[in-house]
Amino acid sequence: MRDHFYAVIESMPARSSLKSNSVLVPCNIVSQMSRPAKAKIKFGLKEKAVNLIPDQNSKKVRLPKELAKDLNIFDGMDVCVKYKNDTLILGPLVGILINDSAFQRLCKGKAGNKRMRLMSAAHRSHIFAYFFTADNIIWSDRTVRGTFYKHDTDSWEVVQLPLPDILYDRGGGFSRAGSIKALELRKQLNNFKGLRKVNAQHYFSKWDLYCRLSKYEDIKKYLPDTMLYENVSTLKAMLNKHDMVYLKSCTGSNGREIIRVKKLYDSSYEYDYYKNSVIKIKTDSLRKIADAARKLMHGRKFIVQQGIESLSYNGNKVDLRALIQKSYEGEWLVTSLPVRIASGGCPVTSTKSGSSVYKFEEAFLDVLKFNYKQVEDIRKDIYELLSAVADAIQKEYGSFGEMGIDILIDNDLKLWFIESNSKPAKDTVLKSGTEEEIMKAYQRPFEYAKYLSGFYDSINMENKYE
Amino acid sequence: MATLVNIIKDNNTDDVCIISKSIADAFSLVPKSRYKLKFGQSIVYAKLNISEKGKKNSIRISSNLFSKLGIPENLRTNVMVKDDMIMLGPVLGIFTNPIYFRKILQQRPPQSCRHMMNANLNSHIFIYFFTTKGANWADNIIEGCYYSLDFGRWIKKQLPLPDVVFDRCVYNSSRQVPLAENYREHLLSGGLIKRINSKDNLDKYYLYEKLKKYPEIRQYLPYTIKFNSIQDVTAMVEKYNTVYLKSFYGKKGSEVMALSRNKNKALRCLHFHSNKLMIDKLEGQGHLSRKINDFFKDKEFVIQQGIDLLKYGDKRIDMRVLIQKDCSGKWICLYNVAFLGQKDSLIVAGEEKGSHPYNFMEIMPLILNKPSKYVSKLYKIIGDASIKIAEAIEKEYGPFGELGMDMALDKNLKLWFIEANTKPDRQLQSGIIGHARCIACCFNVIEYAKHLSGF
């Protein structure tokens, strides 16, 4: 149940009849209040002591221009309002962290489809959301230069805003200097007690995740055998056990920094990887493979993972990328379950490598020609896996609002958990989902933000599925 | 006038501050009223009590306020009162690179750090060192390291942001650059923290562009242009025979290339590569262009008129002049160290690049073959010129507390200004300028910090 209100915030010129810190609030928002009372007003991490005056004549929250300026509030903002513990909370204020070049593009009004969708989703949820980067933060004033889309004027505004109460970390693809600054920023934001994060972690190291998850009996069965690469003998040991292995950088994403190595019958090896195009090389020296891997991974740590002979379609690898998100009640929901089919024998199924994306039913019934019963069984198993993995990850790392989970199905229809992504880009949803699904995928993090910042009273931390 | 006090932690927790009568009288403090208590950038409110007996010149602060302020225990420092604010300190934060900081934490403070502490023995300001780690901007605290007289060792503690920052963060890895810039930006964003130097570095080109507006200074400036094309270089060589190419922000002579043409118009190129002097003959413009590209990559750089430097035998000479503000904010010249470069090297850089530092007053009589009276006159002329240039720099960039000026004399003893350094090297051996001078350099910074923070 919704127990907060939507209201437009408006500033008004100073009036002689009102004190400079008076805020007029529609009666229904402060129903317990009959007379003006001292209270606090909160917007993002900024708080001010004010005099709240119940107002019967207007549906808008009105406050003096000077106060609005102090709180970095501007006219016509349409947000959620809640009166709780003597505090009038406007918000939640959601800050979306992005990289510097993306931010510069937005400031120039160049927004792509995904960022526009984020802004409209926030607008639909009556949430004020803005984009910011690791620069231009004034800690002493608790403000940051952010940019947001103004729907009524169809323009991007760049303004000074309070630090958010909810951090939605979408920061990736930083320059080297940018990533150092972003790390420092994340560390600093953790110091603010009032600030909550949609996701506890901004990335998973594949090795760390494997180590932590392999402690759980109910998850271990889904995990492919994995080792951290130390030297050629790691690779040798893994290839003795398995016919195919994957080398993956611990922090890589988008199918970059992945090499597939296959053992051939004549005791030589074949490895391939995707770098703008598929590159396939045959060699009989493991050392050569290790050298190639170190070069591709730019000297970063990488894992050696058992290759799973997955279901295939015309010789192309099939995998699933589930997007799970929490609802406004804090329960897990499966937003979408698209199936990706690689193209042209590519070792990865990342959408960046040109794979095709299908809806779950479409892929299994129409493309892979499974029967209805089989599809439902697989779906049940997948939901079980998602539930177990999401639970375990939260136990290990803290609370998450959304996660992308990569799953493989082998020829015996056994499920394998490959990796989890804490900043799912929703490309697969955009490619395969209906408009409704897409809108949901973008809106749910904002609804969850309301839950996180206490706009819904019902507290239900159990994780359930739709 | 500030007074020295002992700050003692009191066991009670009721927001009080008990001040000995001597201090209350000196600042005419009113008992039972509320005062602000300030240490660095942290401020708390306290009720004032006056104690008739007990230790003279002491301030007892209740333990809850004590921890909020972040004061180390048993601190002996200055007190100053302005309106309803009782200020303790001042707090000087010295911003260093992580390696320097780690050495202090390991109780192996570098010499410059020990000099600083020795210089503070009578000033009693609170000095701490910090680096690009451990700040918490949410609560405005920073993890610093200070010397505790009680324990006789360096102690790491969460401390308030300082009154004055002394920026000594000289990078030793490119990774530190974005972090250090971040720290500077945040420290200054509130506008409350003062700086010893208004800028953390001065680039070579814009500084020249700004200074050449001043007629009294123009005579010291070698002609400088920004590199746009290889034609600029050849034109400059044509005109001056010797030119220097320098990256905007290079330091310690590592991003400097000298080009010189002899009588037969053969072009030679000199530069340092990991502290080794490299000399190449250049054949044709293509070779020159390749060489420059390889050396500077995508960095911006200037082309500077070469100066026929004064020589001692076959070694060229240039000078590092340190000028500082004294306690009244007036510029003074602290030292002049002459560097004798490597044999036949056109570039005179630091000791690691084969140069040797000498005290100007000791070496110059030998070089010039003139009496020391003449040399001290020259010393004064160089110092005064440096100060004149520093004053112009201040007009352009805001106040500075200290500057390391690179000056040079040519064959005809004409004086040239090469560049200004906002973080002059403090690793100079005291053998050259004398131990007392080293301490004096630190003392001036401390006194200037006091001056800046109103003590």
Side-chain angles (χ1 to χ4, degrees), chain B residues 59-78:
Chain B
I59 296 184
R60 303 179 76 87
I61 300 173
S62 53
S63 58
N64 58 331
L65 297 182
F66 203 88
S67 57
K68 258 192 225 163
L69 280 172
I71 300 186
E73 292 199 27
N74 297 327
L75 182 69
R76 191 169 156 77
T77 190
N78 309 292

Side-chain angles (χ1 to χ4, degrees), chain A residues 137 139-140 142 181 188 191-192, chain B residues 135-138 182-183 186 190:
Chain A
I137 294 175
W139 296 105
S140 53
R142 300 196 164 195
K181 284 186 183 178
Q188 291 298 338
N191 292 327
F192 289 91
Chain B
N136 173 344
W137 309 115
N182 219 321
Y183 268 58
H186 297 326

Side-chain angles (χ1 to χ4, degrees), chain B residues 55 94 107 148 229 257 426 437:
Chain B
K55 265 193 197 161
I94 304 183
Q107 313 297 332
S148 159
S229 68
M257 179 189 268
R426 284 178 176 272
R437 264 295 142 98

Side-chain angles (χ1 to χ4, degrees), chain B residues 360 375-386:
Chain B
F360 182 88
V375 173
S376 31
K377 220 162 106 192
L378 194 59
Y379 180 93
K380 186 156 184 329
I381 291 170
I382 297 169
D384 289 349
S386 306

Side-chain angles (χ1 to χ4, degrees), chain B residues 131-144:
Chain B
T131 183
T132 54
K133 245 193 316 216
N136 173 344
W137 309 115
D139 305 322
N140 282 326
I141 46 177
I142 199 158
E143 196 175 76

Side-chain angles (χ1 to χ4, degrees), chain B residues 82 129 148 164 216:
Chain B
K82 222 181 221 169
F129 290 81
S148 159
V164 180
E216 72 276 20

Side-chain angles (χ1 to χ4, degrees), chain A residues 255-288:
Chain A
R256 282 184 300 244
E257 304 174 357
I258 293 184
I259 297 180
R260 174 167 65 179
V261 186
K262 276 184 199 163
K263 203 154 63 179
L264 300 178
Y265 295 108
D266 56 355
S267 79
S268 67
Y269 305 95
E270 182 186 84
Y271 67 96
D272 52 0
Y273 56 91
Y274 176 81
K275 195 177 184 182
N276 303 321
S277 66
V278 183
I279 295 162
K280 204 175 236 180
I281 297 163
K282 217 177 129 175
T283 175
D284 45 11
S285 147
L286 283 178
R287 192 161 292 280
K288 270 196 184 133

Side-chain angles (χ1 to χ4, degrees), chain A residues 324 331-334 383 385-388 390-391 463-466:
Chain A
I324 59 170
E331 298 174 349
W332 280 116
L333 303 170
V334 180
Y383 276 37
L385 177 150
L386 292 177
S387 161
D391 275 356
N463 305 315
K464 284 183 195 159
Y465 285 82
E466 225 170 17

